[in-house]
Amino acid sequence: MSESDLYHLPKDVRDGLALARERDRKATGGRLRVQMGDTWYPIITFDEAGFEVLLSAFDGAPNLRGLVDIHEGPRMIRTVLIVAGEPSGETMRYDFKRATAPRTQAPVDYERKVDAPAGYLGRT
């Protein structure tokens, strides 16, 4: 949820939410991060529609776009196709065009039967 979504809330409620987000970020150690190529960027806020990254994390203009991976610590939680939104204060918002959960098995080119045997025993 971005600051523009919270404008209708009283200032003390907005301040309390910001404080809770900061406390949570410190408690988790900022474990959410996005990877593009070999570079990692810490994620400030994350929701089902997108995420925000601090503008100070970039050397120049925010250049994230296309297919990126989102990690929570060492575990990949999503592969997402992103588009840049508008900068808001000190953060840059990126919206998801597509979000895919990571695969635990390789894709197959055939239909797997539910009752198929786990393996076959050869002749001896």
Side-chain angles (χ1 to χ4, degrees):
M1 189 176 287
S2 67
E3 285 296 319
S4 61
D5 295 334
L6 302 174
Y7 77 94
H8 62 280
L9 294 174
K11 182 170 178 8
D12 59 334
V13 173
R14 288 193 309 254
D15 292 344
L17 288 171
L19 182 65
R21 276 194 297 261
E22 183 64 29
R23 185 180 59 235
D24 185 46
R25 189 170 23 257
K26 286 180 182 175
T28 62
R31 293 178 55 87
L32 283 179
R33 57 197 174 140
V34 61
Q35 178 185 12
M36 182 164 188
D38 293 332
T39 309
W40 297 87
Y41 302 99
I43 294 175
I44 301 304
T45 60
F46 178 80
D47 57 34
E48 66 277 347
F51 62 92
E52 292 182 1
V53 175
L54 281 175
L55 285 172
S56 61
F58 298 99
D59 293 333
N63 56 358
L64 290 179
R65 65 177 178 186
L67 197 61
V68 297
D69 296 329
I70 296 178
H71 294 258
E72 182 176 17
R75 184 175 58 96
M76 184 172 69
I77 59 172
R78 293 274 185 276
T79 297
V80 295
L81 184 62
I82 58 171
V83 292
E86 294 293 322
S88 172
E90 298 177 353
T91 62
M92 180 69 174
R93 174 80 182 173
Y94 295 93
D95 296 319
F96 299 151
K97 288 182 85 174
R98 177 185 65 112
T100 307
R103 293 187 177 267
T104 57
Q105 297 177 337
V108 295
D109 293 334
Y110 54 90
E111 177 183 1
R112 286 192 175 166
K113 295 182 181 179
V114 177
D115 60 347
Y120 295 102
L121 296 176
R123 289 189 217 182
T124 57

